[in-house]
């Protein structure tokens, strides 16, 4: 069964540093998403991406965040200057317009 | 704004007990509804989904859910739980946004005692 692949599985970074979280969505999917889950809290929507542009973003997704699909297969989330409160599990997901979402295994980001 | 509410935050059951986890959503239009499970240390896995048709949906691992439009509910059920069902369960809705984003409930932690 096709999978969404995320790397790395765990990233530790110092406050103020830039991080890039990587995702390889399922190849024939058209819609791509990032969600995050702070420890003990619910899964929150960050951003959706379709046709090479952001289609919707949440209030969490401020100027410190950006997404790219640089080469037609990878889908990256960049946090420019990490804060302690960015520590969370970040999930990538992809879907076609009619089928269920497939989530990746997540990247656990720890900001110290 | 759309929201999803899961009433039970932490449920403890013995093996073979029956399970029902509540989920209510706030949106009057057409919705797609999902239940995801997250086993300890793992990613979200789809248990079942409702798009249209029969409001009683059967999913994997013996789970089912019933969509009751008049009650804005999509409760998850399993007749007999196993220790391996210990996990966190999330209800989610895809509704008015044409971008397809999911709105998740707060999650319910299920602990099954052997």
């Amino acid at each position: 069964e096709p999978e969404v692949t995320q790397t790395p599985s765990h990233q530790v970074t110092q406050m103020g540093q830039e991080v890039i979280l990587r995702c390889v969505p399922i190849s024939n999917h058209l819609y791509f998403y990032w969600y995050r889950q702070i420890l003990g809290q619910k899964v929150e929507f960050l951003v959706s991406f379709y046709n090479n542009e952001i289609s919707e973003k949440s209030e969490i997704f401020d100027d410190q965040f950006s997404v790219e699909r640089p080469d037609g297969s990878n889908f990256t989330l960049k946090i420019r200057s990490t804060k302690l409160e960015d520590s969370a599990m970040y999930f990538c997901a992809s879907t076609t317009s009619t089928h269920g979402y497939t989530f990746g295994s997540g990247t656990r980001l720890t900001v110290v | 704004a759309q929201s999803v509410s899961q009433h039970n935050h932490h449920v403890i059951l013995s093996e073979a007990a029956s399970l029902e986890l509540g989920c209510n959503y706030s949106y009057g239009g057409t919705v797609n509804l999902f239940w995801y499970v997250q086993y300890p240390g793992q990613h979200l896995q789809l248990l079942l989904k409702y798009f249209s048709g029969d409001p009683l949906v059967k999913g994997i691992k013996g789970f089912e859910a019933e969509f009751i439009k008049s009650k804005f509910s999509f409760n998850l059920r399993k007749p007999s739980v196993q220790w391996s069902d210990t996990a966190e369960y999330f209800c989610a809705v895809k509704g008015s946004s044409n971008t397809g984003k999911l709105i998740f409930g707060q999650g319910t932690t299920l602990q099954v005692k052997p």
Side-chain angles (χ1 to χ4, degrees):
Chain A
E1 190 171 330
E3 290 184 346
V4 173
T5 306
Q6 287 187 246
T7 54
S9 56
H10 192 181
Q11 171 114 28
V12 181
T13 189
Q14 290 206 329
M15 196 167 52
Q17 294 296 304
E18 174 184 286
V19 293
I20 297 176
L21 310 183
R22 303 181 192 279
C23 169
V24 178
I26 293 173
S27 61
N28 64 338
H29 284 187
L30 302 174
Y31 298 82
F32 313 108
Y33 308 85
W34 283 100
Y35 291 81
R36 80 170 185 190
Q37 184 182 25
I38 295 172
L39 189 63
Q41 299 186 25
K42 67 178 176 179
V43 178
E44 301 172 290
F45 168 78
L46 289 179
V47 65
S48 60
F49 193 85
Y50 170 72
N51 203 25
N52 284 321
E53 60 183 20
I54 291 173
S55 47
E56 186 174 358
K57 58 184 181 180
S58 71
E59 292 176 355
I60 303 166
F61 195 89
D62 62 21
D63 291 344
Q64 293 299 312
F65 291 86
S66 63
V67 288
E68 263 193 333
R69 195 147 192 260
D71 55 12
S73 64
N74 291 286
F75 179 51
T76 61
L77 174 69
K78 183 194 291 186
I79 310 175
R80 287 190 185 83
S81 178
T82 49
K83 302 187 279 275
L84 293 175
E85 54 264 38
D86 294 327
S87 294
M89 182 74 92
Y90 288 81
F91 292 105
C92 174
S94 69
T95 184
T96 62
S97 60
T98 57
H99 290 81
Y101 301 73
T102 302
F103 282 84
S105 305
T107 294
R108 180 168 297 285
L109 177 65
T110 304
V111 182
V112 296
Chain B
Q2 286 180 274
S3 65
V4 178
S5 178
Q6 292 181 241
H7 317 297
N8 319 99
H9 295 293
H10 196 169
V11 173
I12 303 173
L13 294 173
S14 298
E15 274 195 316
S18 65
L19 170 72
E20 180 160 2
L21 302 182
C23 173
N24 286 89
Y25 63 92
S26 66
Y27 180 63
T30 301
V31 291
N32 300 147
L33 295 154
F34 305 81
W35 275 98
Y36 283 89
V37 61
Q38 186 177 33
Y39 298 103
Q42 295 190 28
H43 63 104
L44 295 162
Q45 297 176 40
L46 181 66
L47 272 179
L48 47 79
K49 61 188 177 187
Y50 172 79
F51 277 33
S52 64
D54 189 345
L56 185 61
V57 181
K58 295 196 183 299
I60 61 171
K61 302 177 191 276
F63 286 90
E64 65 179 31
E66 186 175 11
F67 170 53
I68 303 179
K69 190 174 181 180
S70 61
K71 295 185 178 180
F72 298 91
S73 70
F74 189 56
N75 292 355
L76 181 72
R77 300 195 290 250
K78 186 171 184 178
S80 176
V81 294
Q82 300 171 318
W83 176 79
S84 57
D85 293 324
T86 295
E88 187 143 20
Y89 292 80
F90 292 93
C91 180
V93 63
K94 178 167 79 81
S96 60
S97 167
N98 61 3
T99 63
K101 75 176 183 187
L102 295 179
I103 305 296
F104 284 85
Q106 306 93 313
T108 297
T109 302
L110 172 64
Q111 183 181 353
V112 180
K113 295 184 173 180

